[in-house]
């Protein structure tokens, strides 16, 4: 029973066969999915999909790539969407200095605004951090994100950073890169992290794990991420699935 803690099923790559993708996930033991918004349109679609499927939950938020377009109205609509029963987190939000599709200052401002919205709504947050490790931790601290906690998704930071985030009450989620042949940091994190702070995800349709690397990713493939981590931690896949599933429910406060 795996929980894919980060999927983007609203992506147009799933437009033609979404039902099949969800069925395949269930057939492969991926019983639960957190479907994550990245702009307003994707957030609205995420809520709608969560209404249709019992075991799909929604996160609503604005990705740092789209920070430039955020206004007061955007935040007000997120606040409204978040009232829905199946919305269990705010995100994804954060900083992306790798592609810098929005100006850094605006990314930081919108990240801070969304953390504060999460605090107001008392919802955990889903954090995206690419090449922005120091500013991510600094802003989480400065805005008091420990009051809500959440998930550092597709974690790519150091063990030092992981410890700082866990001290703030955050969970660490690993994705396809842990299976890549040249993987260093995610492998190190997988080995060092205590099982009770670990989650698994696909980030589909991106980042397909080995042996599907280069193809469209989908929730069913989270088993490859889980298998690799179980191997690194020298535990059974069943145990890893059980623990990460429960961790995801705990951080998202799902009964
Ligand atoms: Ni994502």
């Amino acid at each position: 029973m795996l929980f894919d803690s980060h999927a983007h099923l609203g992506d147009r790559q799933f437009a033609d066969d979404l039902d099949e993708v969800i069925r395949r996930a269930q057939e492969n033991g991926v019983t639960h999915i957190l479907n994550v918004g990245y702009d307003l349109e994707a957030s609205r679609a995420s809520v709608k999909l969560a209404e249709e499927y019992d075991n799909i939950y929604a996160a609503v938020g604005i990705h740092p790539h789209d920070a430039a377009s955020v206004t007061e109205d955007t935040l007000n609509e997120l606040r409204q969407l978040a009232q829905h029963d199946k919305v269990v987190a705010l995100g994804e939000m954060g900083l992306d200095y790798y592609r810098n599709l929005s100006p850094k200052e605006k990314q930081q401002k919108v990240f801070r605004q969304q953390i504060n919205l999460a605090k107001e709504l008392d919802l955990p947050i889903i954090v995206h951090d690419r090449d922005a490790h120091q500013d991510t931790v600094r802003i989480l601290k400065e805005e008091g994100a420990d009051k809500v906690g959440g998930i550092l998704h597709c974690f790519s930071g150091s063990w030092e950073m992981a410890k700082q985030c866990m001290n703030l009450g955050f969970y660490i989620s690993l994705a396809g890169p842990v299976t890549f042949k040249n993987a260093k940091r995610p492998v190190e994190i997988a080995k060092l992290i205590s099982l009770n702070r670990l989650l698994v995800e696909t980030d589909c349709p991106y980042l397909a794990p080995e042996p599907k690397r280069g193809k469209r990713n989908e929730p069913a493939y989270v088993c490859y991420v889980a298998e690799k981590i179980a191997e690194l931690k020298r535990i059974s896949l069943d145990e890893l699935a059980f623990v990460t599933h429960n961790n995801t429910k705990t951080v998202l406060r799902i009964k």
Side-chain angles (χ1 to χ4, degrees):
M1 288 225 329
L2 284 158
F3 199 137
D4 180 357
S5 74
H6 195 110
H8 299 291
L9 295 173
D11 190 280
R12 75 172 92 79
Q13 292 189 51
F14 294 118
D16 294 333
D17 64 346
L18 182 58
D19 287 343
E20 252 174 82
V21 166
I22 292 169
R23 186 180 47 77
R24 230 176 356 253
Q26 284 161 353
E27 282 170 8
N28 283 278
V30 184
T31 54
H32 294 65
I33 298 168
L34 177 64
N35 192 46
V36 179
Y38 43 86
D39 60 17
L40 270 185
E41 200 188 327
S43 296
R44 288 182 204 119
S46 191
V47 174
K48 205 160 155 273
L49 191 70
E51 275 177 351
E52 289 168 31
Y53 291 90
D54 268 0
N55 290 345
I56 297 181
Y57 295 85
V60 297
I62 311 294
H63 193 284
H65 290 341
D66 289 292
S69 65
V70 170
T71 63
E72 226 20 74
D73 286 348
T74 317
L75 296 167
N76 284 333
E77 187 170 347
L78 284 183
R79 182 182 286 111
Q80 266 180 351
L81 286 169
Q83 303 301 321
H84 195 283
D85 278 353
K86 296 290 290 289
V87 174
V88 292
L90 226 60
E92 58 188 288
M93 62 175 77
L95 304 172
D96 193 312
Y97 297 169
Y98 178 72
R99 294 184 66 192
N100 266 322
L101 295 186
S102 289
K104 268 188 189 181
E105 295 69 31
K106 180 74 180 185
Q107 289 187 39
Q108 294 181 8
K109 182 178 177 200
V110 170
F111 186 23
R112 290 180 193 277
Q113 287 173 319
Q114 291 186 92
I115 294 170
N116 282 294
L117 182 57
K119 282 162 61 184
E120 174 195 322
L121 299 166
D122 192 27
L123 284 173
I125 61 175
I126 314 294
V127 179
H128 171 104
D129 154 37
R130 192 154 182 211
D131 288 0
H133 305 320
Q134 283 187 351
D135 282 358
T136 298
V137 174
R138 181 170 58 79
I139 289 173
L140 289 175
K141 283 184 181 160
E142 286 174 1
E143 299 302 327
D146 57 323
K147 290 194 180 69
V148 287
I151 301 166
L152 269 289
H153 115 84
C154 194
F155 188 74
S156 59
S158 64
W159 174 238
E160 255 338 285
M161 179 183 175
K163 282 192 289 190
Q164 288 185 48
C165 293
M166 289 189 286
N167 283 337
L168 294 172
F170 281 78
Y171 287 66
I172 304 293
S173 182
L174 295 177
V178 74
T179 69
F180 296 171
K181 287 189 179 69
N182 54 356
K184 288 205 178 71
R185 271 192 167 173
V187 167
E188 184 196 359
I189 298 293
K191 285 180 179 166
L192 292 172
I193 193 169
S194 112
L195 268 181
N196 64 10
R197 283 307 176 99
L198 178 66
L199 310 183
V200 290
E201 67 171 276
T202 55
D203 201 17
C204 65
Y206 315 107
L207 291 174
E210 292 289 358
K212 304 287 185 184
R213 194 172 180 183
K215 301 213 171 73
R216 181 188 73 173
N217 198 1
E218 60 176 68
Y221 299 166
V222 79
C223 64
Y224 299 113
V225 176
E227 272 168 13
K228 176 69 184 191
I229 298 173
E231 183 192 312
L232 290 166
K233 295 193 97 53
R234 299 170 192 275
I235 59 173
S236 69
L237 177 57
D238 277 355
E239 185 182 355
L240 187 100
F242 180 80
V243 175
T244 54
H245 188 110
N246 284 333
N247 290 344
T248 313
K249 283 188 166 168
T250 302
V251 63
L252 299 176
R253 308 173 197 164
I254 294 170
K255 298 266 150 43

